[in-house]
Each structure stands twice: as structure tokens, then as C-alpha cells.
Amino acid sequence: VGAALALYKVAPDGSNLRKNIRGAIIPGILGIGEPLIYGVTLPRIRPFFTAMAGGAVGGFYIGLLNVFNIQIGLNTVFGSSGLLGTIAMTSNNGVVTGMIFYISALLVAYAAGFVITLAFGTKNVDLS
């Protein structure tokens, strides 16, 4: 999501890329990442790798929470990701705490993907 938002920011007005992102950003925020992966970042390669780097930063943040004894995870075998995954989160400190820290991890991953893509993922990339 962060990488797609960065591409949206630098893409020219009226471009096909902007139209693709507009159609895929809401499902991406809700946890369905395939439209953003296969339609936006993967065909351009660099933004795909910067999006993965943003996800790695989000995973590192969750690992840091674990170091400080704030463990979050799903309270079910099957669960979604993105914003819809919030309702399935729990923590050793309570369900609401798990939800809050999960949303904070999402925001960290989105922000990291945005910043890393702006810095490294838009050079020599087709933005049309």
C-alpha cells in the first residue's frame, strides 16, 4: 500500500498507473494485496522490492514489540491481513491492545514502503 501510494504521488495526472492504483488501493488497505502486487508493483520491479522492504520494516517493528513483551497474533487459525485482520488480533495484554498495536504495525509498514519507494523505487521506472 505504501509503495503504491508513493507511485501514485509521482505518476503523471491521468496516467494508466494512477487509474490502476485508484482501483486497487481500497482492497489493498483491506488486506487483498494481489491487485497492487500484480497490477502495480511487480510489472515495474523496483517498486516491488521497495514494497517488500516496507513490509520487512513492519515485521521488524512487530519483532521489537515482542522484545518488549507485547506479543500480538491471530486468535483464530484462519485470518485476513490488512485492516480486516484487525478484528482477529489478540495480545497477551488483551484484545484491544493487540488491535491497536496491529494497526500501528500496519501504519509503520505502509509509511516505510512509501518512504523507501519514494527514495529508491521510482527512478528509471515506467510511470505511465
mmCIF file with all atom_site columns, all heavy atoms in Angstrom, residues 104-125:
data_model
loop_
_atom_site.group_PDB
_atom_site.id
_atom_site.type_symbol
_atom_site.label_atom_id
_atom_site.label_alt_id
_atom_site.label_comp_id
_atom_site.label_asym_id
_atom_site.label_entity_id
_atom_site.label_seq_id
_atom_site.pdbx_PDB_ins_code
_atom_site.Cartn_x
_atom_site.Cartn_y
_atom_site.Cartn_z
_atom_site.occupancy
_atom_site.B_iso_or_equiv
_atom_site.pdbx_formal_charge
_atom_site.auth_seq_id
_atom_site.auth_comp_id
_atom_site.auth_asym_id
_atom_site.auth_atom_id
_atom_site.pdbx_PDB_model_num
ATOM 1   N N   . SER A 1 104 ? -0.899 -0.109 14.458  1.00 0.00 ? 104 SER A N   1
ATOM 2   C CA  . SER A 1 104 ? 0.345  0.670  14.436  1.00 0.00 ? 104 SER A CA  1
ATOM 3   C C   . SER A 1 104 ? 1.391  -0.009 13.557  1.00 0.00 ? 104 SER A C   1
ATOM 4   O O   . SER A 1 104 ? 2.137  0.670  12.843  1.00 0.00 ? 104 SER A O   1
ATOM 5   C CB  . SER A 1 104 ? 0.876  0.890  15.860  1.00 0.00 ? 104 SER A CB  1
ATOM 6   O OG  . SER A 1 104 ? 1.388  -0.303 16.416  1.00 0.00 ? 104 SER A OG  1
ATOM 7   N N   . ALA A 1 105 ? 1.444  -1.339 13.566  1.00 0.00 ? 105 ALA A N   1
ATOM 8   C CA  . ALA A 1 105 ? 2.394  -2.053 12.704  1.00 0.00 ? 105 ALA A CA  1
ATOM 9   C C   . ALA A 1 105 ? 2.026  -1.879 11.237  1.00 0.00 ? 105 ALA A C   1
ATOM 10  O O   . ALA A 1 105 ? 2.911  -1.721 10.380  1.00 0.00 ? 105 ALA A O   1
ATOM 11  C CB  . ALA A 1 105 ? 2.432  -3.539 13.075  1.00 0.00 ? 105 ALA A CB  1
ATOM 12  N N   . LEU A 1 106 ? 0.731  -1.891 10.922  1.00 0.00 ? 106 LEU A N   1
ATOM 13  C CA  . LEU A 1 106 ? 0.295  -1.625 9.548   1.00 0.00 ? 106 LEU A CA  1
ATOM 14  C C   . LEU A 1 106 ? 0.751  -0.243 9.097   1.00 0.00 ? 106 LEU A C   1
ATOM 15  O O   . LEU A 1 106 ? 1.277  -0.079 7.990   1.00 0.00 ? 106 LEU A O   1
ATOM 16  C CB  . LEU A 1 106 ? -1.230 -1.693 9.448   1.00 0.00 ? 106 LEU A CB  1
ATOM 17  C CG  . LEU A 1 106 ? -1.881 -3.029 9.226   1.00 0.00 ? 106 LEU A CG  1
ATOM 18  C CD1 . LEU A 1 106 ? -3.399 -2.887 9.229   1.00 0.00 ? 106 LEU A CD1 1
ATOM 19  C CD2 . LEU A 1 106 ? -1.427 -3.650 7.938   1.00 0.00 ? 106 LEU A CD2 1
ATOM 20  N N   . LEU A 1 107 ? 0.547  0.742  9.948   1.00 0.00 ? 107 LEU A N   1
ATOM 21  C CA  . LEU A 1 107 ? 0.930  2.114  9.597   1.00 0.00 ? 107 LEU A CA  1
ATOM 22  C C   . LEU A 1 107 ? 2.441  2.249  9.427   1.00 0.00 ? 107 LEU A C   1
ATOM 23  O O   . LEU A 1 107 ? 2.906  2.954  8.531   1.00 0.00 ? 107 LEU A O   1
ATOM 24  C CB  . LEU A 1 107 ? 0.404  3.098  10.643  1.00 0.00 ? 107 LEU A CB  1
ATOM 25  C CG  . LEU A 1 107 ? -1.119 3.214  10.718  1.00 0.00 ? 107 LEU A CG  1
ATOM 26  C CD1 . LEU A 1 107 ? -1.528 4.131  11.862  1.00 0.00 ? 107 LEU A CD1 1
ATOM 27  C CD2 . LEU A 1 107 ? -1.694 3.696  9.399   1.00 0.00 ? 107 LEU A CD2 1
ATOM 28  N N   . VAL A 1 108 ? 3.204  1.564  10.260  1.00 0.00 ? 108 VAL A N   1
ATOM 29  C CA  . VAL A 1 108 ? 4.660  1.579  10.117  1.00 0.00 ? 108 VAL A CA  1
ATOM 30  C C   . VAL A 1 108 ? 5.069  0.956  8.787   1.00 0.00 ? 108 VAL A C   1
ATOM 31  O O   . VAL A 1 108 ? 5.912  1.505  8.059   1.00 0.00 ? 108 VAL A O   1
ATOM 32  C CB  . VAL A 1 108 ? 5.336  0.843  11.304  1.00 0.00 ? 108 VAL A CB  1
ATOM 33  C CG1 . VAL A 1 108 ? 6.795  0.551  11.025  1.00 0.00 ? 108 VAL A CG1 1
ATOM 34  C CG2 . VAL A 1 108 ? 5.205  1.671  12.572  1.00 0.00 ? 108 VAL A CG2 1
ATOM 35  N N   . ALA A 1 109 ? 4.478  -0.170 8.433   1.00 0.00 ? 109 ALA A N   1
ATOM 36  C CA  . ALA A 1 109 ? 4.814  -0.831 7.166   1.00 0.00 ? 109 ALA A CA  1
ATOM 37  C C   . ALA A 1 109 ? 4.404  0.022  5.972   1.00 0.00 ? 109 ALA A C   1
ATOM 38  O O   . ALA A 1 109 ? 5.165  0.148  5.000   1.00 0.00 ? 109 ALA A O   1
ATOM 39  C CB  . ALA A 1 109 ? 4.139  -2.199 7.097   1.00 0.00 ? 109 ALA A CB  1
ATOM 40  N N   . TYR A 1 110 ? 3.210  0.630  6.022   1.00 0.00 ? 110 TYR A N   1
ATOM 41  C CA  . TYR A 1 110 ? 2.770  1.493  4.930   1.00 0.00 ? 110 TYR A CA  1
ATOM 42  C C   . TYR A 1 110 ? 3.689  2.695  4.777   1.00 0.00 ? 110 TYR A C   1
ATOM 43  O O   . TYR A 1 110 ? 4.083  3.054  3.677   1.00 0.00 ? 110 TYR A O   1
ATOM 44  C CB  . TYR A 1 110 ? 1.338  1.977  5.161   1.00 0.00 ? 110 TYR A CB  1
ATOM 45  C CG  . TYR A 1 110 ? 0.265  0.910  5.088   1.00 0.00 ? 110 TYR A CG  1
ATOM 46  C CD1 . TYR A 1 110 ? -1.025 1.201  5.493   1.00 0.00 ? 110 TYR A CD1 1
ATOM 47  C CD2 . TYR A 1 110 ? 0.522  -0.380 4.631   1.00 0.00 ? 110 TYR A CD2 1
ATOM 48  C CE1 . TYR A 1 110 ? -2.032 0.249  5.426   1.00 0.00 ? 110 TYR A CE1 1
ATOM 49  C CE2 . TYR A 1 110 ? -0.474 -1.337 4.576   1.00 0.00 ? 110 TYR A CE2 1
ATOM 50  C CZ  . TYR A 1 110 ? -1.753 -1.015 4.972   1.00 0.00 ? 110 TYR A CZ  1
ATOM 51  O OH  . TYR A 1 110 ? -2.743 -1.958 4.910   1.00 0.00 ? 110 TYR A OH  1
ATOM 52  N N   . ALA A 1 111 ? 4.035  3.327  5.898   1.00 0.00 ? 111 ALA A N   1
ATOM 53  C CA  . ALA A 1 111 ? 4.900  4.513  5.851   1.00 0.00 ? 111 ALA A CA  1
ATOM 54  C C   . ALA A 1 111 ? 6.294  4.148  5.349   1.00 0.00 ? 111 ALA A C   1
ATOM 55  O O   . ALA A 1 111 ? 6.883  4.875  4.537   1.00 0.00 ? 111 ALA A O   1
ATOM 56  C CB  . ALA A 1 111 ? 4.981  5.157  7.234   1.00 0.00 ? 111 ALA A CB  1
ATOM 57  N N   . ALA A 1 112 ? 6.833  3.029  5.812   1.00 0.00 ? 112 ALA A N   1
ATOM 58  C CA  . ALA A 1 112 ? 8.159  2.602  5.360   1.00 0.00 ? 112 ALA A CA  1
ATOM 59  C C   . ALA A 1 112 ? 8.149  2.288  3.874   1.00 0.00 ? 112 ALA A C   1
ATOM 60  O O   . ALA A 1 112 ? 9.069  2.684  3.141   1.00 0.00 ? 112 ALA A O   1
ATOM 61  C CB  . ALA A 1 112 ? 8.627  1.389  6.158   1.00 0.00 ? 112 ALA A CB  1
ATOM 62  N N   . GLY A 1 113 ? 7.132  1.602  3.405   1.00 0.00 ? 113 GLY A N   1
ATOM 63  C CA  . GLY A 1 113 ? 7.021  1.315  1.973   1.00 0.00 ? 113 GLY A CA  1
ATOM 64  C C   . GLY A 1 113 ? 6.926  2.590  1.149   1.00 0.00 ? 113 GLY A C   1
ATOM 65  O O   . GLY A 1 113 ? 7.526  2.690  0.078   1.00 0.00 ? 113 GLY A O   1
ATOM 66  N N   . PHE A 1 114 ? 6.187  3.562  1.652   1.00 0.00 ? 114 PHE A N   1
ATOM 67  C CA  . PHE A 1 114 ? 6.052  4.847  0.963   1.00 0.00 ? 114 PHE A CA  1
ATOM 68  C C   . PHE A 1 114 ? 7.395  5.562  0.864   1.00 0.00 ? 114 PHE A C   1
ATOM 69  O O   . PHE A 1 114 ? 7.828  5.973  -0.216  1.00 0.00 ? 114 PHE A O   1
ATOM 70  C CB  . PHE A 1 114 ? 5.033  5.721  1.712   1.00 0.00 ? 114 PHE A CB  1
ATOM 71  C CG  . PHE A 1 114 ? 4.777  7.051  1.080   1.00 0.00 ? 114 PHE A CG  1
ATOM 72  C CD1 . PHE A 1 114 ? 3.859  7.171  0.058   1.00 0.00 ? 114 PHE A CD1 1
ATOM 73  C CD2 . PHE A 1 114 ? 5.443  8.182  1.510   1.00 0.00 ? 114 PHE A CD2 1
ATOM 74  C CE1 . PHE A 1 114 ? 3.609  8.402  -0.536  1.00 0.00 ? 114 PHE A CE1 1
ATOM 75  C CE2 . PHE A 1 114 ? 5.212  9.410  0.931   1.00 0.00 ? 114 PHE A CE2 1
ATOM 76  C CZ  . PHE A 1 114 ? 4.284  9.522  -0.098  1.00 0.00 ? 114 PHE A CZ  1
ATOM 77  N N   . VAL A 1 115 ? 8.084  5.687  1.982   1.00 0.00 ? 115 VAL A N   1
ATOM 78  C CA  . VAL A 1 115 ? 9.355  6.420  2.017   1.00 0.00 ? 115 VAL A CA  1
ATOM 79  C C   . VAL A 1 115 ? 10.430 5.703  1.206   1.00 0.00 ? 115 VAL A C   1
ATOM 80  O O   . VAL A 1 115 ? 11.158 6.330  0.420   1.00 0.00 ? 115 VAL A O   1
ATOM 81  C CB  . VAL A 1 115 ? 9.813  6.631  3.484   1.00 0.00 ? 115 VAL A CB  1
ATOM 82  C CG1 . VAL A 1 115 ? 11.226 7.165  3.557   1.00 0.00 ? 115 VAL A CG1 1
ATOM 83  C CG2 . VAL A 1 115 ? 8.851  7.560  4.207   1.00 0.00 ? 115 VAL A CG2 1
ATOM 84  N N   . ILE A 1 116 ? 10.547 4.393  1.362   1.00 0.00 ? 116 ILE A N   1
ATOM 85  C CA  . ILE A 1 116 ? 11.571 3.642  0.632   1.00 0.00 ? 116 ILE A CA  1
ATOM 86  C C   . ILE A 1 116 ? 11.301 3.687  -0.868  1.00 0.00 ? 116 ILE A C   1
ATOM 87  O O   . ILE A 1 116 ? 12.230 3.828  -1.670  1.00 0.00 ? 116 ILE A O   1
ATOM 88  C CB  . ILE A 1 116 ? 11.664 2.193  1.164   1.00 0.00 ? 116 ILE A CB  1
ATOM 89  C CG1 . ILE A 1 116 ? 12.160 2.195  2.606   1.00 0.00 ? 116 ILE A CG1 1
ATOM 90  C CG2 . ILE A 1 116 ? 12.571 1.343  0.293   1.00 0.00 ? 116 ILE A CG2 1
ATOM 91  C CD1 . ILE A 1 116 ? 12.038 0.856  3.310   1.00 0.00 ? 116 ILE A CD1 1
ATOM 92  N N   . THR A 1 117 ? 10.033 3.607  -1.255  1.00 0.00 ? 117 THR A N   1
ATOM 93  C CA  . THR A 1 117 ? 9.706  3.667  -2.682  1.00 0.00 ? 117 THR A CA  1
ATOM 94  C C   . THR A 1 117 ? 9.995  5.051  -3.245  1.00 0.00 ? 117 THR A C   1
ATOM 95  O O   . THR A 1 117 ? 10.522 5.170  -4.354  1.00 0.00 ? 117 THR A O   1
ATOM 96  C CB  . THR A 1 117 ? 8.237  3.280  -2.923  1.00 0.00 ? 117 THR A CB  1
ATOM 97  O OG1 . THR A 1 117 ? 8.040  1.960  -2.429  1.00 0.00 ? 117 THR A OG1 1
ATOM 98  C CG2 . THR A 1 117 ? 7.892  3.317  -4.400  1.00 0.00 ? 117 THR A CG2 1
ATOM 99  N N   . LEU A 1 118 ? 9.662  6.094  -2.505  1.00 0.00 ? 118 LEU A N   1
ATOM 100 C CA  . LEU A 1 118 ? 9.995  7.441  -2.982  1.00 0.00 ? 118 LEU A CA  1
ATOM 101 C C   . LEU A 1 118 ? 11.499 7.614  -3.144  1.00 0.00 ? 118 LEU A C   1
ATOM 102 O O   . LEU A 1 118 ? 11.961 8.242  -4.092  1.00 0.00 ? 118 LEU A O   1
ATOM 103 C CB  . LEU A 1 118 ? 9.461  8.508  -2.025  1.00 0.00 ? 118 LEU A CB  1
ATOM 104 C CG  . LEU A 1 118 ? 8.026  8.952  -2.222  1.00 0.00 ? 118 LEU A CG  1
ATOM 105 C CD1 . LEU A 1 118 ? 7.682  10.051 -1.227  1.00 0.00 ? 118 LEU A CD1 1
ATOM 106 C CD2 . LEU A 1 118 ? 7.767  9.429  -3.628  1.00 0.00 ? 118 LEU A CD2 1
ATOM 107 N N   . ALA A 1 119 ? 12.261 7.046  -2.223  1.00 0.00 ? 119 ALA A N   1
ATOM 108 C CA  . ALA A 1 119 ? 13.707 7.223  -2.261  1.00 0.00 ? 119 ALA A CA  1
ATOM 109 C C   . ALA A 1 119 ? 14.386 6.360  -3.324  1.00 0.00 ? 119 ALA A C   1
ATOM 110 O O   . ALA A 1 119 ? 15.306 6.825  -4.002  1.00 0.00 ? 119 ALA A O   1
ATOM 111 C CB  . ALA A 1 119 ? 14.299 6.903  -0.888  1.00 0.00 ? 119 ALA A CB  1
ATOM 112 N N   . PHE A 1 120 ? 13.938 5.114  -3.481  1.00 0.00 ? 120 PHE A N   1
ATOM 113 C CA  . PHE A 1 120 ? 14.674 4.186  -4.338  1.00 0.00 ? 120 PHE A CA  1
ATOM 114 C C   . PHE A 1 120 ? 13.851 3.537  -5.442  1.00 0.00 ? 120 PHE A C   1
ATOM 115 O O   . PHE A 1 120 ? 14.429 2.951  -6.351  1.00 0.00 ? 120 PHE A O   1
ATOM 116 C CB  . PHE A 1 120 ? 15.278 3.054  -3.492  1.00 0.00 ? 120 PHE A CB  1
ATOM 117 C CG  . PHE A 1 120 ? 16.166 3.530  -2.392  1.00 0.00 ? 120 PHE A CG  1
ATOM 118 C CD1 . PHE A 1 120 ? 15.770 3.454  -1.073  1.00 0.00 ? 120 PHE A CD1 1
ATOM 119 C CD2 . PHE A 1 120 ? 17.419 4.075  -2.681  1.00 0.00 ? 120 PHE A CD2 1
ATOM 120 C CE1 . PHE A 1 120 ? 16.595 3.891  -0.048  1.00 0.00 ? 120 PHE A CE1 1
ATOM 121 C CE2 . PHE A 1 120 ? 18.237 4.505  -1.659  1.00 0.00 ? 120 PHE A CE2 1
ATOM 122 C CZ  . PHE A 1 120 ? 17.830 4.432  -0.333  1.00 0.00 ? 120 PHE A CZ  1
ATOM 123 N N   . GLY A 1 121 ? 12.531 3.572  -5.372  1.00 0.00 ? 121 GLY A N   1
ATOM 124 C CA  . GLY A 1 121 ? 11.731 2.770  -6.264  1.00 0.00 ? 121 GLY A CA  1
ATOM 125 C C   . GLY A 1 121 ? 11.111 3.475  -7.444  1.00 0.00 ? 121 GLY A C   1
ATOM 126 O O   . GLY A 1 121 ? 10.376 2.865  -8.200  1.00 0.00 ? 121 GLY A O   1
ATOM 127 N N   . THR A 1 122 ? 11.384 4.761  -7.632  1.00 0.00 ? 122 THR A N   1
ATOM 128 C CA  . THR A 1 122 ? 10.740 5.473  -8.734  1.00 0.00 ? 122 THR A CA  1
ATOM 129 C C   . THR A 1 122 ? 11.727 5.919  -9.817  1.00 0.00 ? 122 THR A C   1
ATOM 130 O O   . THR A 1 122 ? 11.296 6.461  -10.826 1.00 0.00 ? 122 THR A O   1
ATOM 131 C CB  . THR A 1 122 ? 10.009 6.708  -8.201  1.00 0.00 ? 122 THR A CB  1
ATOM 132 O OG1 . THR A 1 122 ? 10.924 7.571  -7.534  1.00 0.00 ? 122 THR A OG1 1
ATOM 133 C CG2 . THR A 1 122 ? 8.884  6.312  -7.255  1.00 0.00 ? 122 THR A CG2 1
ATOM 134 N N   . LYS A 1 123 ? 12.984 5.666  -9.615  1.00 0.00 ? 123 LYS A N   1
ATOM 135 C CA  . LYS A 1 123 ? 13.979 6.065  -10.617 1.00 0.00 ? 123 LYS A CA  1
ATOM 136 C C   . LYS A 1 123 ? 14.021 5.035  -11.749 1.00 0.00 ? 123 LYS A C   1
ATOM 137 O O   . LYS A 1 123 ? 14.049 3.840  -11.499 1.00 0.00 ? 123 LYS A O   1
ATOM 138 C CB  . LYS A 1 123 ? 15.356 6.199  -9.963  1.00 0.00 ? 123 LYS A CB  1
ATOM 139 C CG  . LYS A 1 123 ? 15.397 7.349  -8.962  1.00 0.00 ? 123 LYS A CG  1
ATOM 140 C CD  . LYS A 1 123 ? 16.679 7.326  -8.172  1.00 0.00 ? 123 LYS A CD  1
ATOM 141 C CE  . LYS A 1 123 ? 16.771 8.410  -7.163  1.00 0.00 ? 123 LYS A CE  1
ATOM 142 N NZ  . LYS A 1 123 ? 15.668 8.525  -6.240  1.00 0.00 ? 123 LYS A NZ  1
ATOM 143 N N   . ASN A 1 124 ? 14.003 5.509  -12.982 1.00 0.00 ? 124 ASN A N   1
ATOM 144 C CA  . ASN A 1 124 ? 14.040 4.646  -14.170 1.00 0.00 ? 124 ASN A CA  1
ATOM 145 C C   . ASN A 1 124 ? 12.896 3.622  -14.192 1.00 0.00 ? 124 ASN A C   1
ATOM 146 O O   . ASN A 1 124 ? 13.084 2.481  -14.574 1.00 0.00 ? 124 ASN A O   1
ATOM 147 C CB  . ASN A 1 124 ? 15.382 3.921  -14.296 1.00 0.00 ? 124 ASN A CB  1
ATOM 148 C CG  . ASN A 1 124 ? 16.546 4.877  -14.371 1.00 0.00 ? 124 ASN A CG  1
ATOM 149 O OD1 . ASN A 1 124 ? 16.433 5.967  -14.947 1.00 0.00 ? 124 ASN A OD1 1
ATOM 150 N ND2 . ASN A 1 124 ? 17.654 4.505  -13.773 1.00 0.00 ? 124 ASN A ND2 1
ATOM 151 N N   . VAL A 1 125 ? 11.711 4.058  -13.752 1.00 0.00 ? 125 VAL A N   1
ATOM 152 C CA  . VAL A 1 125 ? 10.535 3.200  -13.710 1.00 0.00 ? 125 VAL A CA  1
ATOM 153 C C   . VAL A 1 125 ? 9.470  3.813  -14.589 1.00 0.00 ? 125 VAL A C   1
ATOM 154 O O   . VAL A 1 125 ? 9.277  5.024  -14.600 1.00 0.00 ? 125 VAL A O   1
ATOM 155 C CB  . VAL A 1 125 ? 10.021 3.054  -12.251 1.00 0.00 ? 125 VAL A CB  1
ATOM 156 C CG1 . VAL A 1 125 ? 8.701  2.340  -12.198 1.00 0.00 ? 125 VAL A CG1 1
ATOM 157 C CG2 . VAL A 1 125 ? 11.048 2.338  -11.402 1.00 0.00 ? 125 VAL A CG2 1
#
